[in-house]
Amino acid sequence: QRTLEQLESRVADRTRALSQANLRLAESTRDKTRFLAAASHDLLQPLHAARLFLSALDRQATGTQRPLVARVERAIVAAEALLRALLDISRLDAGGIHPEPEVFALAPFLRDIAEGVRPLAEEKGVRLIFGPLPGVVQTDAGLLRSVVQNLLSNAVRYTEHGGVLIGVRRRGDHWRIDVVDTGVGIPDDQRSAIFAEFTRLGAVEAEGLGLGLAMVERIARLLNLGIDLHSQPGRGSRFAVTIAATTAQIAPAAVPIATAASPAPARALTVLVVDNDPTIIEASEALFAGLGHRVLGARTIAEAMAVAAQADAALIDYDLDHGETGLMLIDRLRREAPHVALAMISAARDRKLFMDLGRRNVPFYAKPVDPDVLTAFIATASKREVEPQ
């Protein structure tokens, strides 16, 4: 009886210790997730400012300066991609990313991803081919996009001659998304290693960070996707992503689509830039002043509203100081200065924010923003007709 009581007491003690350890682990995970969210915003801010300053410099560069500016821009874009990948992998490992399923058709979804990779393929002389793209699925579109985009980008990078095909086939109650290339192929002894961080095939000189397939493997576990690989060294590879089919109805798109076209502005504008980082305001002024526009800077809602009557367009950050947000300012501008064309710029990638902006019909641009996208928005705003009050 005494032995039994001692065993029960030990079990109870170990259970309490385990519960306390789990609580500490959960708190540590929450702290890590909060840190990563803050870090993603703070680290992307200077990259955003750098791209704006660089675009302003590019418009003034001449002769031999232009290739140097282009190299700096490529370095900044590579640093941005690496930072985003590291943050995303850390958030996945910390459990800070929670899937938000939605129903969508695969055809437009996959075509849009492929068009984003097309410039890289054309630069290398690699053909980008579409197979049949049937199917409707229900999953997190953003996370699935990361999977397919990484596979497609890798296929183009490691293909020197021939082409890359993307297509969809039915497999029972699942759809299989195939990415097939005529590239270098993957030796048998490297097929597990390529899903580790910072791993790249040494057969060809290919740009890349070695993080893409590490993200694919983690997202696949999170979304319950099947990942399959068939490859022959020297003849190419086929990566397949298997995802459950659905009969649910497709919901309408919630977020306005931002384009990178750069039409010429119809007139000079007064642009209100609202950001709690003065460097962003300074960089925006350097960019837009070179295009003949005037920039008004503001760091708070009060400062923005004080000059709103003078503004034609506003680029608004989401995270402001003292608990203020860009959404609060957007709502006030809609009521008190409806003539102002609005857009939000932020490092935040929150689905609720996207939905809120979609309901307000306000476009969203993720930091660091391509300067051509911002100039396109301003050019469109310059042609906007405002109804008299």
Side-chain angles (χ1 to χ4, degrees), residues 75-95:
I76 292 175
V77 171
E80 173 200 343
L82 176 59
L83 178 59
R84 286 196 184 280
L86 288 171
L87 290 169
D88 287 344
I89 285 178
S90 297
R91 290 176 64 203
L92 284 166
D93 288 343

Side-chain angles (χ1 to χ4, degrees), residues 148-165:
V148 178
Q149 189 167 338
N150 275 305
L151 294 180
L152 198 55
S153 297
N154 272 358
V156 172
R157 286 194 184 100
Y158 287 99
T159 299
E160 294 299 308
H161 307 285
V164 174
L165 178 143

